[in-house]
Amino acid sequence: MADQRLLYFFSAKQPRRPAVIRQILINKRTVSNLFWGLNYQLLSWLAVAPKLEAAYFNQQIELLLQTKALQQTTAGLVLTAAGSQQWQLYQTSDLHYWRQAPQLVQHYQVGAWQAMLALLIQVFSEMSYHNVHYYVNVTDPQLQYWLKRWLQHNPRQQLQAQFVRTLTEFLTTQESPAANIFLNMYSGHQIAGRTLLQLQQQTGWTVAELNCLRTDLSLQLAEKLLREGPAWQALIGLFRKNSLLSASTAITYQAFLNQYPLAKIAQKRQLKLSTIQEHLLEAAIFATDFPYLKILPTKIQQQLITLFRGQTIPAEWNYQVAQQQEISFFYFRLFQIQQLKLRQGRLSIANHN
Amino acid sequence: MLTTTELTRGLKHYFGYDKFKPGQIETLTALARQQSTVAVLPTGTGKSLCYQLYGLLTKQLVLVVSPLISLMQDQVKELKFIGEHQAAALTSMLSGRDKSFVLRHLNEYHFIFISPEMALQPDIMQRFKALKLGLLVIDEAHCISQWGPDFRPDYLQLGKLRQALGQPLTLALTATATPQIKKDICQLLFTAAQPQLVQQSIDRPNIFLAVESTANSSEKNAVLLRLVQQLKTPGLIYFTSRKATEKFARLLTEKTGLSAAAYHADLNQQERFAVQQQFMLGNLDVVCATSAFGMGINQKDVRYVIHYHLPTDLESYLQEIGRAGRDGQQSIAILLYSPEDFERQRQLSFASLPALAELKNYQAATRQQRQILTENELTYQLIDFYAHQGLNIKQQQEMFAQRHQQKASQLRTLQTYLTLTTCRRKFLCQYFGETTEHLKHTAACCQPVGQTFDLRDLNLQCEHVERKASVVLPSYQQLLKKLFADQSNQL
Ligand SMILES: [Zn+2]
């Protein structure tokens, strides 16, 4: 049977290109991919499956086409009624786990945070039994050192109580099989966690789904702990990044916000002007308050509005129309992004309309 | 100088034991006399305790070169467990961040574990030169010998490392060493003064040695299923692939209700720890493991070690069965095989040895092509290594032909062991160059081909069947209560 999880990424109304979807999932951050990801409203899924192989993905798409869950159109693939029904069945079944907070993956060093969480649970568990002799379940010296310092500089009893309370509250808000499975993965005082293979046998969920559950819940728990005060912000801050921009883009964007002209930024950073423009397009895609007016001349904006008046789907605009008016691709794409985001915000289109 | 009394007091203080195991005190007193030592101590006799105790008592920096990352991590954990927190493992697994952290704080550590390839990096060697080393330890020293089962080319450079560090007091440790391997260790590691040799017999009298020959793999599966249901637990079953460990962990749980787990190098840290902890807490009946992987925390009461696939050779076999019966109680090692296993093992053994075609390929390749070849294939890495050592193609060809013969002979030895109609224990001791006059074969010693053995006589038959595999997962509420004591008071 085909991998039905992939159905989620398609829409009945909007034709989508599978290649773009895979690039988003494996975090291939070209401006073109990001633009289409924005258009598909799938940017929250960036980097969620970095190891998704092209061969596997294409084979699954092929299978979904054969079974008529997806259908080919000239502009891409659309979800059929049958596909939509399959997805509904998959999603509502107790036998599957579906990620609730994909957007958090981009914000965290996932592996390191998971190791820290395992360490936290163990250390607080042993602490509650006043036991100091135990094998630590995480070997990274850096993580051990961070935790040690953190516990030295903060009231540990209070942190422990906060942790247990937050964890308990968090699990209460989850569906019960997921909450049970999640906690069974962890080790503590006289308690051994379970491996994914063991859990697979006991629950019938696949290892991939269990893995997904583990990252999804541990990241959501991190977000909840973040709200427990400065000590937690300090600890979790070690694993969390606020900006989604790549480092180089962030520098360009900051310089741009500081009123430097693009040519000057390019010169100072020894980069091509076209690269600087790509950085700004990336920034426009991610930033919620991108100052479009600062870079897009009013005259050109007016021209573009006139050119595409009545064409309600910005992603379908044809650049050649703008090119004939000698408008650069940069301005055209920037305007497209702005209009796309405006419409998405205003109409709040759900993923599966 | 440390006296025997001080050593014994230290043993009690740090490890809680009253008595040293054979070989430990000899090794420690040699080190106390500043005498570099080669110690051949069988698996399970506490090799690492020698340098741990030496470092703890002399408060000097101990640098341990070790080939396996998992072994290093386990050592660091054990040291931390006994209260020595200034221990770290410098491995390629460390992130850049962690590595630079350890390197910045080098002089604060008392124990540093390092892989050979990292120890040989010039900048790192430079840093160690600047420190005062109390003891250099070469763990698994048999890796230095081309005649050994685990030959690692970079171990050949460790003699140079030792010289670069100013020939510090050195302890070379190994569990198994044929006379040839011992000679290699002494010659390649110690150039000037020869080391003292401390050696214990490789024989573990409390491990019964058995072999079960089967007609094919389905019969082998049936034998395995029967055995695990009869044997006292816990036990360890070795396989050669990750896939097989998972398949059988699943199968055993389903068919026998035993609680089983798969253990292999692809598990993440959290899962690896989970299996170790399950084993320690007695929640597991059996672990299905790959041999490439150390078992981590020492489990003393393993009652049986079964090999589902053939081991590479007798050296590794001895290492692996050494995990049984560390508490001194009666245990058993059973080797299962069917005729097709030989072909499989032959292929595995020879796969990494370069053939003439590959040598010629390498010779014809440009520098860039060589880079690509060596990036992806072990065979070319080996050729590349020897090329850099200055061996030409002809010399390499001769050397690899020799290696090929060596491996073929190891396989023949293994085959002889399997089909032995006389005492298996005597055969093993002879192979490792030990005298065997004192050995008396009895029904409690081993099972030569054609003879049967009775688990009840060995006191290894499980009397009442107690199945540990639980079908139902505890709820998170139950787990929270167990994980955190006095929860209600804290809230
Ligand atoms: Zn015998």
Side-chain angles (χ1 to χ4, degrees), chain A residues 125 129 139 142 144 193 196, chain B residues 80 98 269 271 278 482-483:
Chain A
S125 169
Y129 285 91
T139 46
Q142 181 80 81
Q144 292 181 2
L196 298 187
Chain B
K80 292 199 172 170
D98 281 343
Q269 227 184 91
E271 293 187 284
Q278 288 173 22
K482 281 194 207 160
L483 277 169

Side-chain angles (χ1 to χ4, degrees), chain A residues 37-102:
Chain A
L38 174 71
N39 181 40
Y40 297 165
Q41 306 206 50
L42 288 174
L43 282 186
S44 57
W45 288 82
L46 254 181
V48 165
K51 288 181 190 150
L52 181 61
E53 279 173 19
Y56 173 80
F57 181 83
N58 295 337
Q59 184 196 18
Q60 294 306 313
I61 296 292
E62 197 48 50
L63 268 174
L64 290 169
L65 280 166
Q66 277 170 21
T67 54
K68 302 207 162 44
L70 291 177
Q71 196 181 2
Q72 185 89 53
T73 72
T74 46
L77 306 185
V78 289
L79 195 63
T80 63
S84 185
Q85 205 176 3
Q86 275 183 36
W87 168 248
Q88 286 306 322
L89 273 174
Y90 180 92
Q91 198 195 15
T92 49
S93 158
D94 265 357
L95 291 172
H96 299 296
Y97 185 79
W98 189 248
R99 200 182 281 274
Q100 301 164 24

Side-chain angles (χ1 to χ4, degrees), chain B residues 209 422-426 440-442 444-448:
Chain B
L209 303 168
T422 52
C423 181
R424 297 188 189 281
R425 196 173 302 278
K426 272 192 188 149
K440 294 267 176 295
H441 172 75
T442 64
C445 163
C446 70
Q447 159 262 8

Side-chain angles (χ1 to χ4, degrees), chain B residues 176-241:
Chain B
T176 47
T178 58
Q180 175 68 47
I181 293 176
K182 264 179 282 185
K183 206 171 111 199
D184 279 355
I185 295 174
C186 293
Q187 279 177 357
L188 297 170
L189 213 49
F190 302 91
T191 37
Q194 278 302 293
Q196 169 148 353
L197 187 66
V198 173
Q199 186 164 14
Q200 288 297 310
S201 167
I202 52 98
D203 183 34
R204 298 276 306 281
N206 64 322
I207 303 176
F208 185 87
L209 303 168
V211 174
E212 290 253 7
S213 142
T214 58
N216 50 47
S217 58
S218 66
E219 195 185 311
K220 187 156 77 166
N221 293 353
V223 172
L224 180 70
L225 276 177
R226 170 173 60 76
L227 281 170
V228 296
Q229 293 184 85
Q230 290 174 344
L231 281 161
K232 273 191 186 164
T233 59
L236 197 52
I237 309 175
Y238 276 111
F239 300 88
T240 46
S241 74

